Amino acid sequence: MVTTLTSMTEAHTDVPTLYPPSEAFAGSANATDDLYERADRDRLAFWAEQADRLSWDTPFTEVLDWSGAPVAKWFVGGKLNVAYNCVDRHVEAGNGDRVAIHWEGEPVGDQRTITYAELKDEVCRAANALSDLGLVAGDRVVVYMPMVPEAIVAMLACARLGIMHSVVFGGYSASALRARVEDAAAKLVITTDGQYRRGSAVSLKAAVDEAVAGQASVEHVVVVCRTGIDIDWTDGRDLWWHETVGAASPEHTPEAFDSEHPLFLLYTSGTTGKPKGIMHTSGGYLTQASYTHNYVFDIKPETDVYWCTADIGWVTGHSYIVYGPLSNGATQVVYEGTPASPDEHRHFQVIEKYGVTIYYTAPTLIRTFMKWGRDLAFQHDLSSLRLLGSVGEPINPEAWRWYRLVFGGDEAPIVDTWWQTETGAAMISPLPGVTVCKPGSAMRPLPGISAKIVDDHGNELPPATEDGEPVTGYLVLDQPWPSMLRGIWGDHERFVETYWSRFADQGWYFAGDGARYGTDGEVWVLGRIDDVMNVSGHRISTAEVESALVGHAGVAEAAVVGASDEQTGQAICAFVILKEHHADMSTRDMVNELRAEVAREISPIAKPREIHVVPELPKTRSGKIMRRLLRDVAEGRELGDTSTLVDPTVFEAIRASKAN
């Protein structure tokens, strides 16, 4: 089946609307159709089977105890050690010489190769060092580091000892770090002296010093010497990693912990402003992270080189850099820097250098590559890539097709994964050897996962019809899953109110995302409900309008927000970055074209009230567009906290564009 793109899109040819896997890929894929059948036949038996992929010290006696809903207990009675499952067992199986991590530093030529045997020794040393500092199971450790191997070692050492790690993204401000250290009552902070950002070394330790000042819980700060820059030092509190961990023994016997023993805290933004400490436990989380990594990414540990471009400060880095890949004995690339350092060729060079076969990144970055142009990619040999992945937000069909064509040679399957910090692991995604994909759709819940799209009253919505208008509803999870959050740290009431109150009668988890069914019953995630605009009684998704704007040949990237409007309730405001070949076009003409494009693609009701052509969009260092701040600009308010942005000065240019 094909559809004709409009004259305004980059391509002017018929393009497929369905993308089945190739026979060759399907023939050797880890996942087959029978996974769905087995899960549908007996969901709990299916999850028991997935749990048995791990090494358990004590077998579990019950798969699920849901009697304390909405707090689940999975694999009841079972005991395991998460770090043992990620390192020791691979060494014991004779794979100690296999590369675990190809680490690529931001400065070109800065690299390390770490085998599973070497990783095991380092994790054991770190575990011994933490024990020597008096840390015991149940304590909390904050990890505030760039993407260096020691960060992964620190996480695994905590897991080995039953200590909860709370990783805080290295781009967060001292005040954001302080709030998280304080809430977790952390005993230890592990950091680096500094980090590299676009070729320059900037301090991290200074932010830690500010964050822990006066914090009674913090006993020590362990510092990795990454850049060699001068830092302040507090004797008795501050310790060098190489002097503590480096001097420790590489021999350590792991202790098995209960399947429900807390593994980590990860803080996510809350609508009230206070971060929420999302709590994940051991057995269920590792089961689903490992299962999804194996089947969604079709991992072949003996031959694949896998690269997830996320940061460990986010859940994607936890599940698909640390726990998923390492539990499966995979070889992966870990990259410290940004895609444009020292220039736009860097990601392509890394793919070439290591022969990356699986590449998992965010739609924002894909659209950045589109902005740079396909000629850049075509200067490199990307033929090693056999599978592509997308995560973080819905991907627009145009970017999906571009990604498949330019990175995947128009052959590599794309797994567009939907999940959240709270879900712990992927929930809705294609299975690459099974699913016939539609660009822009996450397709259907993975085997063992149950989700529905419902209206305000909890009634499931019907699939779209060929000639009818699709109906948008709420995406809910109606059955518990192994990697689900077990609560918000220290605030059970907030946990219940935030995630379970909307459909309390049904006992469903409300994801906070809007979604619709397609004509084949596939799921189209439309973004956060607070990113669904109500314009004159019509619910319009920001993601849909953004997709329509990016469908124009001249638009590299777009961000859409709803701004208050006395007449319509909300008005649509768009901010767009133009591609170079359209930069000379008059702003008025471009705005008129774009408004017409949106009217044609969605509806005249969806035409933006305002479209501002801007040189950049406000992004965090992880690549997330800060739409909250754009909403402030659109409504003429003072900006909130801009400390997490790559370039806070971007708003000067946005305001200048808005004034024109």
Side-chain angles (χ1 to χ4, degrees):
M1 182 185 271
V2 298
T3 186
T4 303
L5 295 173
T6 70
S7 60
M8 307 198 56
T9 55
E10 189 172 340
H12 301 278
T13 55
D14 287 349
V15 294
T17 55
L18 299 175
Y19 290 79
S22 69
E23 285 185 16
F25 193 104
S28 62
N30 292 352
T32 52
D33 262 328
D34 72 312
L35 273 184
Y36 293 106
E37 294 165 15
R38 284 169 20 219
D40 290 345
R41 189 163 56 246
D42 189 333
R43 198 170 68 89
L44 294 184
F46 176 82
W47 280 119
E49 188 182 315
Q50 304 315 315
D52 285 339
R53 298 180 64 253
L54 304 178
S55 177
W56 292 82
D57 196 75
T58 304
F60 50 88
T61 54
E62 185 181 6
V63 178
L64 170 65
D65 177 358
W66 193 224
S67 62
V71 179
K73 292 180 180 176
W74 279 89
F75 310 119
V76 179
K79 291 185 176 181
L80 78 172
N81 186 282
V82 170
Y84 175 87
N85 274 278
C86 291
V87 284
D88 304 54
R89 68 173 177 149
H90 306 310
V91 178
E92 292 172 6
N95 295 317
D97 291 338
R98 180 182 297 164
V99 173
I101 297 168
H102 289 295
W103 179 75
E104 184 79 10
E106 176 162 307
V108 177
D110 200 356
Q111 62 187 61
R112 289 163 64 185
T113 296
I114 303 167
T115 65
Y116 273 94
E118 291 166 338
L119 183 61
K120 175 181 172 292
D121 287 352
E122 196 67 7
V123 170
C124 288
R125 285 193 184 94
N128 284 320
L130 294 183
S131 293
D132 291 345
L133 292 175
L135 290 149
V136 296
D139 286 341
R140 279 80 60 201
V141 168
V142 165
V143 176
Y144 181 65
M145 301 172 81
M147 291 293 288
V148 292
E150 290 85 355
I152 296 170
V153 170
M155 293 168 72
L156 290 169
C158 289
R160 195 174 191 89
L161 296 171
I163 295 164
M164 295 176 79
H165 58 69
S166 179
V167 182
V168 179
F169 173 55
Y172 272 140
S173 65
S175 61
L177 174 62
R178 183 180 186 86
R180 289 155 173 76
V181 169
E182 192 168 35
D183 190 72
K187 282 190 178 179
L188 172 71
V189 178
I190 304 177
T191 189
T192 58
D193 55 354
Q195 61 182 332
Y196 289 101
R197 285 289 170 198
R198 294 193 170 95
S200 301
V202 296
S203 179
L204 265 192
K205 174 65 163 44
V208 175
D209 290 338
E210 185 181 334
V212 305
Q215 298 260 22
S217 67
V218 177
E219 297 172 358
H220 291 99
V221 175
V222 173
V223 186
V224 174
C225 183
R226 171 69 189 111
T227 63
I229 59 176
D230 290 335
I231 56 174
D232 290 334
W233 198 259
T234 301
D235 288 328
R237 185 196 72 185
D238 297 349
L239 303 162
W240 285 112
W241 175 280
H242 59 271
E243 292 177 356
T244 51
V245 175
S249 166
E251 300 298 323
H252 184 271
T253 303
E255 179 185 347
F257 294 97
D258 188 86
S259 63
E260 286 299 322
H261 187 82
L263 179 62
F264 66 85
L265 282 178
L266 186 56
Y267 286 85
T268 186
S269 301
T271 52
T272 62
K274 183 187 176 187
K276 304 188 294 281
I278 304 300
M279 189 168 65
H280 284 287
T281 56
S282 301
Y285 169 80
L286 190 62
T287 292
Q288 194 169 332
S290 189
Y291 151 72
T292 52
H293 181 260
N294 177 65
Y295 287 112
V296 171
F297 297 101
D298 193 53
I299 196 76
K300 309 288 196 284
E302 299 79 14
T303 52
D304 275 322
V305 179
Y306 163 88
W307 183 15
C308 169
T309 69
D311 190 286
I312 57 162
W314 314 117
V315 74
T316 303
H318 285 56
S319 302
Y320 298 115
I321 293 177
V322 182
Y323 294 111
L326 295 177
S327 69
N328 287 321
T331 296
Q332 66 177 317
V333 170
V334 174
Y335 174 50
E336 180 186 30
T338 59
S341 182
D343 56 41
E344 291 86 354
H345 291 271
R346 190 65 188 275
H347 267 228
F348 304 111
Q349 290 165 342
V350 171
I351 291 169
E352 282 184 303
K353 178 176 178 178
Y354 295 106
V356 171
T357 57
I358 301 165
Y359 181 76
Y360 188 38
T361 195
T364 298
L365 185 54
I366 297 163
R367 290 191 290 268
T368 298
F369 290 136
M370 289 176 73
K371 177 182 161 185
W372 294 343
R374 63 181 66 182
D375 289 348
L376 184 77
F378 289 160
Q379 293 175 43
H380 299 274
D381 180 6
L382 306 182
S383 60
S384 61
L385 291 170
R386 68 178 193 89
L387 179 67
L388 305 171
S390 161
V391 62
E393 60 181 308
I395 183 170
N396 54 296
E398 182 91 28
W400 193 102
R401 289 190 173 95
W402 190 94
Y403 189 30
R404 177 181 160 104
L405 175 68
V406 175
F407 275 69
D410 212 21
E411 288 185 0
I414 297 176
V415 287
D416 174 9
T417 60
W418 176 85
W419 57 297
Q420 302 173 315
T421 303
E422 292 87 346
T423 70
M427 303 293 283
I428 304 175
S429 169
L431 287 176
V434 175
T435 310
V436 178
C437 288
K438 293 186 180 183
S441 169
M443 299 308 296
R444 62 182 288 197
L446 288 167
I449 302 300
S450 185
K452 298 178 186 286
I453 302 170
V454 300
D455 64 15
D456 289 283
H457 307 290
N459 302 308
E460 188 166 11
L461 297 177
T465 58
E466 292 289 353
D467 52 357
E469 202 171 304
V471 182
T472 299
Y474 303 102
L475 181 61
V476 299
L477 302 169
D478 63 317
Q479 295 291 337
W481 62 99
S483 65
M484 65 194 299
L485 76 166
R486 299 304 197 264
I488 293 173
W489 180 253
D491 198 340
H492 182 72
E493 285 182 14
R494 192 181 183 193
F495 166 64
V496 174
E497 173 62 30
T498 304
Y499 302 109
W500 302 94
S501 62
R502 180 70 182 76
F503 296 100
D505 291 347
Q506 296 89 344
W508 295 341
Y509 170 93
F510 175 42
D513 280 340
R516 61 176 175 83
Y517 287 120
T519 51
D520 295 316
E522 77 280 6
V523 174
W524 293 77
V525 181
L526 303 174
R528 304 294 299 168
I529 286 294
D530 55 13
D531 289 337
V532 175
M533 302 165 292
N534 194 326
V535 181
S536 300
H538 296 267
R539 290 166 58 81
I540 299 165
S541 156
T542 57
E544 284 182 310
V545 181
E546 287 170 3
S547 182
L549 290 165
V550 175
H552 186 286
V555 175
E557 199 161 3
V560 169
V561 296
S564 299
D565 187 283
E566 287 182 4
Q567 190 173 356
T568 60
Q570 280 186 296
I572 300 172
C573 295
F575 299 82
V576 300
I577 302 173
L578 300 183
K579 294 178 182 174
E580 284 186 19
H581 54 81
H582 276 72
D584 294 332
M585 188 172 175
S586 86
T587 300
R588 177 174 291 184
D589 288 348
M590 176 57 78
V591 166
N592 288 339
E593 275 197 23
L594 291 175
R595 294 183 82 232
E597 176 85 337
V598 174
R600 184 166 56 248
E601 288 291 320
I602 305 173
S603 160
I605 295 161
K607 279 198 297 189
R609 181 186 73 188
E610 301 167 19
I611 298 179
H612 306 290
V613 176
V614 298
E616 289 294 338
L617 292 170
K619 293 176 185 174
T620 65
R621 291 175 180 88
S622 68
K624 186 177 180 181
I625 298 169
M626 293 290 282
R627 290 174 176 81
R628 169 178 61 81
L629 296 175
L630 287 174
R631 203 172 292 117
D632 288 345
V633 171
E635 296 184 344
R637 289 192 297 272
E638 284 295 310
L639 297 179
D641 181 19
T642 61
S643 63
T644 62
L645 297 179
V646 175
D647 180 13
T649 62
V650 71
F651 283 101
E652 295 168 16
I654 290 174
R655 283 202 180 97
S657 303
K658 192 170 182 291
N660 291 335

